[in-house]
Amino acid sequence: MPIYEILSSLSDSRQQESTCLFNGYLEDYLAMYEERLNEEQKVIFQHLLTISPKMKICSELRLNINKDAIANQIISYRDSFKLPQGQIRCPHVIYDQIREQERAMILSFGEQEAYVMAKALYFIMSEPENEYEGTRNEIISMCANEKQEEFLQEAIRRFFFQKEKAGIVQRWLDMHIFTSYDEMYECAKAIASRQMIDLKEILQSASDVQDTINRIIAVWFLMKKFSYVQYMMDKNALYKQHDGNVKKQRQKAKEKCDSISFVSYSELWKLVKEHHI
């Protein structure tokens, strides 16, 4: 089923059983949730409406991890399989149907780290045997901020209107946001490491400790997922660094994934008890 059709069918918080906060026209989202958005977000969304007035948005879309997916088995972060359904949240997915072509873009507000997070979320959505299976060529990822607004709009024009292939547009964005793929991996490691350093503070400020622990685990999983899948998708690395040997590429991808350190679920709860959080 095409991505526009799938996303359009999802229920939001206005219905009894929801899979996201809001799902509908971007214009309506701006009217309903204006107070939740900062000025930068409002400006960017308004500009997107000038590109396509009928653009839709799915906000805070809940995603699930397929523990049986081969990549997830190789990543082998078992604590992530304990997460409740819908724990992974995708901040914004904009989507449209233009001249019978269905397209979607995952948006995470921010700069380089937001871009890595958006790509990690794409890797979740594009996992095999889930509700989005078969749509991977209809989705790209991007960070949204005032500095990159011109490139965001250009990406939408190229992908939504000019029907360029998802992989071509995504690689163009990769090389605009980062100077190299190594820089992308370092960014993912930095996200995971900062969470490790700030762990006690994050837990102490939690209003809901269980939910906070789940969110911590989700971030570590997303960075491991990004590091592994991004490397496995890199054809240059396959042929230039591994002589076309997929087994060697997979070994290196696993090393990158394993470099994302974490604290186990049980240790997180131990920290909570030790510090009377």
Side-chain angles (χ1 to χ4, degrees):
M1 189 183 296
I3 190 63
Y4 184 91
E5 193 173 339
I6 293 171
L7 291 172
S8 292
S9 69
L10 299 179
S11 57
D12 63 19
S13 58
R14 292 171 292 183
Q15 279 116 356
Q16 191 169 3
E17 294 184 8
S18 62
T19 55
C20 59
L21 172 67
F22 176 89
N23 187 26
Y25 288 105
L26 178 55
E27 185 178 23
D28 295 336
Y29 177 71
L30 283 170
M32 288 180 64
Y33 292 97
E34 183 179 5
E35 294 182 0
R36 293 170 60 108
L37 303 173
N38 61 38
E39 286 306 311
E40 181 181 54
Q41 292 170 334
K42 291 176 189 176
V43 168
I44 289 172
F45 282 142
Q46 288 287 358
H47 285 175
L48 294 184
L49 281 175
T50 65
I51 297 173
S52 177
K54 295 298 183 182
M55 185 173 285
K56 288 187 173 183
I57 185 170
C58 187
S59 177
E60 295 187 24
L61 174 63
R62 291 190 283 275
L63 302 174
N64 298 311
I65 298 168
N66 177 10
K67 67 179 181 180
D68 295 323
I70 294 173
N72 294 342
Q73 289 293 315
I74 293 172
I75 290 168
S76 191
Y77 182 25
R78 291 182 174 82
D79 283 347
S80 66
F81 299 155
K82 300 173 185 176
L83 293 175
Q85 292 287 296
Q87 181 63 49
I88 307 281
R89 301 292 178 94
C90 186
H92 303 97
V93 183
I94 58 169
Y95 61 105
D96 211 335
Q97 186 176 37
I98 299 169
R99 294 192 288 272
E100 299 182 354
Q101 293 291 317
E102 306 203 5
R103 294 288 187 267
M105 176 187 282
I106 296 169
L107 278 182
S108 183
F109 277 89
E111 299 187 26
Q112 286 186 328
E113 291 188 359
Y115 186 79
V116 167
M117 186 62 71
K119 291 202 75 174
L121 291 165
Y122 165 78
F123 294 146
I124 297 291
M125 286 188 74
S126 60
E127 284 181 349
E129 298 180 17
N130 69 12
E131 59 268 54
Y132 306 100
E133 186 172 19
T135 67
R136 63 183 303 164
N137 294 322
E138 299 170 346
I139 310 171
I140 60 172
S141 306
M142 181 53 177
C143 58
N145 60 72
E146 288 181 337
K147 293 179 184 178
Q148 306 293 351
E149 188 177 356
E150 180 182 332
F151 287 92
L152 169 62
Q153 293 184 29
E154 179 62 18
I156 289 172
R157 289 190 185 96
R158 289 175 62 170
F159 186 55
F160 283 62
F161 290 86
Q162 297 174 10
K163 304 176 185 176
E164 285 193 43
K165 290 184 178 180
I168 293 173
V169 178
Q170 194 70 69
R171 285 189 292 274
W172 171 71
L173 288 170
D174 287 349
M175 291 301 98
H176 170 71
I177 305 296
F178 292 91
T179 58
S180 68
Y181 283 111
D182 285 338
E183 189 183 10
M184 294 176 77
Y185 301 126
E186 289 305 312
C187 184
K189 286 180 69 174
I191 294 170
S193 296
R194 186 171 62 253
Q195 183 169 260
M196 182 78 76
I197 294 167
D198 297 339
L199 203 53
K200 183 179 174 182
E201 183 180 338
I202 293 169
L203 290 169
Q204 285 178 330
S205 62
S207 56
D208 183 330
V209 176
Q210 178 67 74
D211 182 63
T212 299
I213 287 176
N214 288 340
R215 289 174 183 269
I216 289 168
I217 291 169
V219 168
W220 279 329
F221 172 76
L222 285 166
M223 294 306 97
K224 283 179 170 288
K225 180 81 169 179
F226 170 83
S227 299
Y228 180 82
V229 179
Q230 179 64 55
Y231 195 79
M232 288 303 297
M233 291 179 66
D234 190 343
K235 297 299 182 184
N236 285 331
L238 173 61
Y239 292 106
K240 291 184 178 180
Q241 297 182 38
H242 305 295
D243 300 318
N245 190 320
V246 176
K247 186 176 180 180
K248 289 182 179 179
Q249 185 185 29
R250 187 177 294 113
Q251 182 179 348
K252 185 66 177 179
K254 184 68 165 67
E255 289 175 10
K256 288 185 176 293
C257 163
D258 290 344
S259 71
I260 305 293
S261 57
F262 65 94
V263 174
S264 69
Y265 185 85
S266 58
E267 286 296 316
L268 287 170
W269 274 110
K270 188 177 178 180
L271 276 173
V272 170
K273 291 174 183 177
E274 284 178 353
H275 296 284
H276 307 289
I277 297 171

